[in-house]
Amino acid sequence: MKNSILLTIALCATLLTSAQESLWKIGFKVNPNASWMKPDSKHMTNEGNNFRFGFSLMIDKHFTDNYAFGTGLNIITTGGKLSYVRMSNIAIDGLPGSYDVISSIKRSYKLQYGEVPLTLKLRTNEIGYITYWGQFGLGLGFNIRAKADDEIDYLKQSTGSADERWVDATLESVSTEEEDIKDDIKLFRSSLIIGAGIEYNLAGSTSLIAGFTFNNGFSNAMNGQGVQLDDRDAPIYEGVGDKKTPKLFDLKGYTNFIELNVGILF
């Protein structure tokens, strides 16, 4: 987070030095949001929303008074809650070596991205002291932080012997907080951005802004695999006899959020 703030300040200072008032508008905003993750598999379940917070540097390059190219730097925090079944390899207290286990996990994602928006911004003429605006375009982002809170219930465990087979797990359920899940999240994120709001003129070119933005991720945010389930929510196995292995699928989830925008534009 500290590096993100320093980067934003440095970028703003550079742009303020070179900007021409007649062509450029530069500002800052804060962005509380309601975020969720949309699973793209029948073996995954959406378990609810998260409330997060971000901030942005805004840069508008005007072609006319009513049309502008909007860009800048968004530091967005998003996430959601998903549940699915997975296979992992862990050490079991009192037993030598490590063992494959199948577990049900409910995970609350806490993801932070740096995003560069590339949008077209449309503005009305000033009506009283108010200008109405709308914008749409793309967001190109990269992950800078990935944490999660997990609730894990163990379902099956391997015997780890020559006649290895799956038996009911005897391990107790566990909960963890602030787990580093960087390897489980893809580095890059792309999104569709749609927003609308108002500018209230304070004096000269300085305005207060308020509005809402919908940010719809359309690239898969997740790495890794889960275990497929049958109609009774039991793991599906491949193979015959005692050497059966769980049937896997690729995890797929898309990050989305609706944010409130409040800031100042110069």
Side-chain angles (χ1 to χ4, degrees):
M1 176 66 78
K2 182 178 179 181
N3 291 337
S4 301
I5 295 173
L6 292 175
L7 177 61
T8 302
I9 293 172
L11 181 58
C12 179
T14 300
L15 291 167
L16 284 172
T17 301
S18 61
Q20 299 179 23
E21 183 178 347
S22 60
L23 297 177
W24 296 85
K25 284 184 174 289
I26 298 174
F28 298 95
K29 62 180 180 178
V30 293
N31 315 313
N33 72 64
S35 60
W36 65 96
M37 294 183 72
K38 180 182 178 182
D40 188 17
S41 171
K42 66 179 182 180
H43 304 292
M44 304 172 67
T45 303
N46 181 359
E47 296 288 353
N49 303 338
N50 284 335
F51 294 95
R52 301 294 183 221
F53 182 85
F55 60 93
S56 302
L57 165 68
M58 301 175 293
I59 306 167
D60 290 346
K61 172 66 169 67
H62 280 263
F63 306 113
T64 70
D65 289 340
N66 302 109
Y67 300 94
F69 170 71
T71 185
L73 178 63
N74 301 330
I75 303 300
I76 57 177
T77 304
T78 182
K81 299 175 183 178
L82 295 177
S83 62
Y84 53 92
V85 173
R86 67 177 184 178
M87 183 174 70
S88 55
N89 188 267
I90 65 171
I92 299 178
D93 291 343
L95 297 176
S98 59
Y99 297 81
D100 290 330
V101 295
I102 298 174
S103 57
S104 172
I105 181 170
K106 181 178 179 181
R107 171 167 281 182
S108 178
Y109 291 84
K110 304 174 182 179
L111 309 178
Q112 189 174 68
Y113 293 88
E115 180 186 69
V116 177
L118 304 172
T119 65
L120 177 64
K121 190 169 186 178
L122 311 177
R123 304 170 72 248
T124 67
N125 294 324
E126 190 172 295
I127 304 171
Y129 292 100
I130 296 177
T131 300
Y132 299 89
W133 57 266
Q135 67 181 139
F136 64 92
L138 302 176
L140 303 177
F142 56 94
N143 183 258
I144 55 180
R145 183 176 181 271
K147 300 286 186 178
D149 297 339
D150 292 340
E151 298 177 14
I152 302 172
D153 294 317
Y154 294 101
L155 307 176
K156 298 287 184 178
Q157 66 188 63
S158 66
T159 58
S161 59
D163 60 341
E164 182 174 4
R165 62 188 185 278
W166 294 95
V167 297
D168 290 340
T170 58
L171 301 167
E172 294 184 357
S173 300
V174 297
S175 297
T176 62
E177 296 182 352
E178 296 296 317
E179 285 289 313
D180 189 340
I181 58 167
K182 196 81 169 180
D183 292 339
D184 296 338
I185 299 298
K186 292 186 181 296
L187 177 60
F188 296 105
R189 176 183 184 271
S190 56
S191 64
L192 172 68
I193 298 173
I194 302 174
I198 63 171
E199 297 178 17
Y200 181 83
N201 183 258
L202 296 176
S205 62
T206 302
S207 301
L208 291 176
I209 66 165
F212 290 93
T213 299
F214 173 52
N215 190 301
N216 179 45
F218 50 72
S219 59
N220 179 26
M222 305 177 70
N223 289 319
Q225 294 182 306
V227 174
Q228 294 189 28
L229 303 177
D230 61 21
D231 294 338
R232 297 172 296 172
D233 291 331
I236 298 174
Y237 298 95
E238 296 179 307
V240 295
D242 294 332
K243 296 296 184 180
K244 293 184 295 186
T245 59
K247 190 173 183 179
L248 304 179
F249 70 96
D250 292 331
L251 298 176
K252 290 184 179 181
Y254 301 86
T255 55
N256 304 302
F257 60 89
I258 297 176
E259 65 182 11
L260 170 66
N261 308 305
V262 180
I264 189 166
L265 195 64
F266 302 98

Coordinates of all heavy atoms in Angstrom, one line a residue, residues 60 66-68 70 119-124 131-137 193-199 212-213:
D60 N -8.3 13.6 -17.1 CA -9.1 13.8 -18.3 C -8.4 14.6 -19.3 O -8.1 15.8 -19.0 CB -10.5 14.4 -17.9 CG -11.3 13.5 -17.0 OD1 -11.1 12.3 -17.0 OD2 -12.3 14.0 -16.4
N66 N -17.2 18.9 -24.1 CA -18.2 17.8 -23.8 C -17.6 16.4 -23.9 O -18.3 15.4 -23.6 CB -19.4 17.9 -24.7 CG -20.1 19.2 -24.5 OD1 -20.1 20.1 -25.4 ND2 -20.7 19.4 -23.4
Y67 N -16.4 16.3 -24.5 CA -15.8 14.9 -24.7 C -14.4 14.9 -24.2 O -13.6 15.9 -24.4 CB -15.8 14.6 -26.2 CG -17.2 14.5 -26.8 CD1 -17.7 15.7 -27.5 CD2 -17.9 13.4 -26.8 CE1 -19.0 15.6 -28.1 CE2 -19.2 13.4 -27.4 CZ -19.7 14.5 -28.0 OH -20.9 14.4 -28.5
A68 N -14.0 13.8 -23.5 CA -12.7 13.7 -23.0 C -12.3 12.2 -23.0 O -13.1 11.3 -22.9 CB -12.6 14.3 -21.6
G70 N -10.5 9.6 -20.6 CA -10.3 9.5 -19.2 C -9.3 8.4 -18.9 O -9.5 7.2 -19.4
T119 N -10.9 5.2 -20.9 CA -12.4 5.4 -21.0 C -12.6 6.6 -21.9 O -11.8 7.5 -22.0 CB -13.0 5.6 -19.7 OG1 -12.6 6.8 -19.0 CG2 -12.8 4.4 -18.8
L120 N -13.9 6.7 -22.4 CA -14.4 7.9 -23.0 C -15.4 8.5 -22.1 O -16.3 7.8 -21.6 CB -15.1 7.5 -24.3 CG -15.8 8.7 -25.1 CD1 -14.8 9.7 -25.6 CD2 -16.6 8.1 -26.3
K121 N -15.2 9.8 -21.8 CA -16.0 10.5 -20.9 C -16.8 11.6 -21.6 O -16.3 12.4 -22.4 CB -15.2 11.2 -19.8 CG -16.0 11.7 -18.6 CD -15.0 12.1 -17.5 CE -15.8 12.6 -16.2 NZ -14.9 12.9 -15.1
L122 N -18.2 11.5 -21.4 CA -19.1 12.5 -22.0 C -19.7 13.4 -20.9 O -20.1 12.9 -19.9 CB -20.2 11.7 -22.7 CG -19.8 10.5 -23.6 CD1 -21.0 9.8 -24.1 CD2 -18.9 11.0 -24.7
R123 N -19.7 14.7 -21.2 CA -20.1 15.7 -20.2 C -21.2 16.6 -20.9 O -21.1 17.0 -22.0 CB -19.0 16.5 -19.7 CG -17.8 15.7 -19.1 CD -16.6 16.6 -18.9 NE -16.8 17.5 -17.8 CZ -16.9 18.9 -17.9 NH1 -16.9 19.4 -19.1 NH2 -17.0 19.6 -16.8
T124 N -22.2 17.0 -20.1 CA -23.2 17.9 -20.5 C -22.6 19.3 -20.3 O -21.6 19.5 -19.7 CB -24.5 17.8 -19.7 OG1 -24.2 18.2 -18.4 CG2 -25.0 16.4 -19.8
T131 N -22.6 19.8 -13.7 CA -22.4 19.2 -15.0 C -22.6 17.7 -14.8 O -22.1 17.1 -13.8 CB -21.0 19.4 -15.5 OG1 -20.8 20.8 -15.7 CG2 -20.7 18.7 -16.8
Y132 N -23.4 17.0 -15.7 CA -23.6 15.6 -15.6 C -22.6 14.9 -16.6 O -22.4 15.4 -17.7 CB -25.0 15.3 -16.0 CG -26.1 15.9 -15.1 CD1 -26.5 17.2 -15.3 CD2 -26.5 15.3 -14.0 CE1 -27.5 17.8 -14.5 CE2 -27.4 15.8 -13.1 CZ -27.9 17.1 -13.4 OH -28.8 17.7 -12.5
W133 N -22.1 13.7 -16.1 CA -21.2 13.0 -16.9 C -21.5 11.5 -16.9 O -22.1 11.0 -16.0 CB -19.7 13.2 -16.4 CG -19.5 12.9 -15.0 CD1 -19.5 13.7 -13.9 CD2 -19.2 11.6 -14.5 NE1 -19.3 13.0 -12.7 CE2 -19.0 11.7 -13.1 CE3 -19.0 10.3 -15.0 CZ2 -18.7 10.6 -12.2 CZ3 -18.7 9.2 -14.2 CH2 -18.5 9.4 -12.8
G134 N -21.0 10.9 -18.0 CA -21.0 9.4 -18.1 C -19.7 9.0 -18.7 O -19.1 9.7 -19.5
Q135 N -19.3 7.8 -18.4 CA -18.1 7.2 -19.1 C -18.2 5.7 -19.2 O -18.9 5.1 -18.5 CB -16.8 7.6 -18.3 CG -16.7 7.0 -16.9 CD -15.4 7.5 -16.2 OE1 -15.5 7.8 -15.0 NE2 -14.4 7.6 -16.9
F136 N -17.4 5.2 -20.2 CA -17.3 3.8 -20.4 C -16.0 3.5 -21.1 O -15.4 4.3 -21.7 CB -18.5 3.3 -21.2 CG -18.6 3.8 -22.6 CD1 -17.9 3.1 -23.7 CD2 -19.2 5.0 -22.9 CE1 -18.0 3.6 -25.0 CE2 -19.3 5.5 -24.2 CZ -18.6 4.8 -25.2
G137 N -15.5 2.3 -20.9 CA -14.3 1.9 -21.4 C -13.7 0.6 -20.8 O -14.5 -0.2 -20.2
I193 N -15.7 -0.9 -17.7 CA -16.0 0.2 -16.8 C -17.1 1.0 -17.3 O -17.1 1.5 -18.5 CB -14.7 1.1 -16.6 CG1 -13.6 0.3 -15.9 CG2 -15.1 2.3 -15.7 CD1 -12.3 1.1 -15.9
I194 N -18.2 1.1 -16.5 CA -19.3 2.0 -16.9 C -19.6 2.8 -15.7 O -19.8 2.3 -14.5 CB -20.6 1.1 -17.2 CG1 -20.3 0.2 -18.4 CG2 -21.7 2.1 -17.6 CD1 -21.4 -0.7 -18.8
G195 N -19.7 4.2 -15.9 CA -19.9 5.1 -14.7 C -20.8 6.3 -15.1 O -20.9 6.6 -16.3
A196 N -21.3 6.9 -14.1 CA -22.1 8.1 -14.3 C -22.1 8.9 -13.0 O -22.0 8.4 -11.9 CB -23.5 7.8 -14.8
G197 N -22.3 10.3 -13.1 CA -22.4 11.1 -11.9 C -22.5 12.6 -12.3 O -22.9 12.9 -13.4
I198 N -22.1 13.4 -11.3 CA -22.2 14.8 -11.5 C -20.9 15.5 -11.0 O -20.1 15.0 -10.3 CB -23.4 15.4 -10.7 CG1 -23.1 15.2 -9.1 CG2 -24.7 14.8 -11.1 CD1 -24.1 15.9 -8.3
E199 N -20.7 16.7 -11.6 CA -19.6 17.6 -11.1 C -20.3 18.9 -10.6 O -21.2 19.4 -11.3 CB -18.6 18.0 -12.2 CG -17.8 16.8 -12.8 CD -16.9 17.3 -13.9 OE1 -16.7 18.5 -14.0 OE2 -16.5 16.4 -14.7
F212 N -21.4 6.9 -9.5 CA -21.3 5.4 -9.3 C -20.6 4.8 -10.5 O -20.7 5.3 -11.6 CB -22.6 4.8 -9.1 CG -23.3 5.1 -7.8 CD1 -24.2 6.2 -7.7 CD2 -23.0 4.4 -6.6 CE1 -24.8 6.5 -6.5 CE2 -23.6 4.7 -5.4 CZ -24.5 5.8 -5.3
T213 N -19.8 3.8 -10.2 CA -19.1 3.1 -11.3 C -19.3 1.6 -11.1 O -19.2 1.0 -10.0 CB -17.6 3.4 -11.3 OG1 -17.4 4.8 -11.6 CG2 -16.9 2.6 -12.5

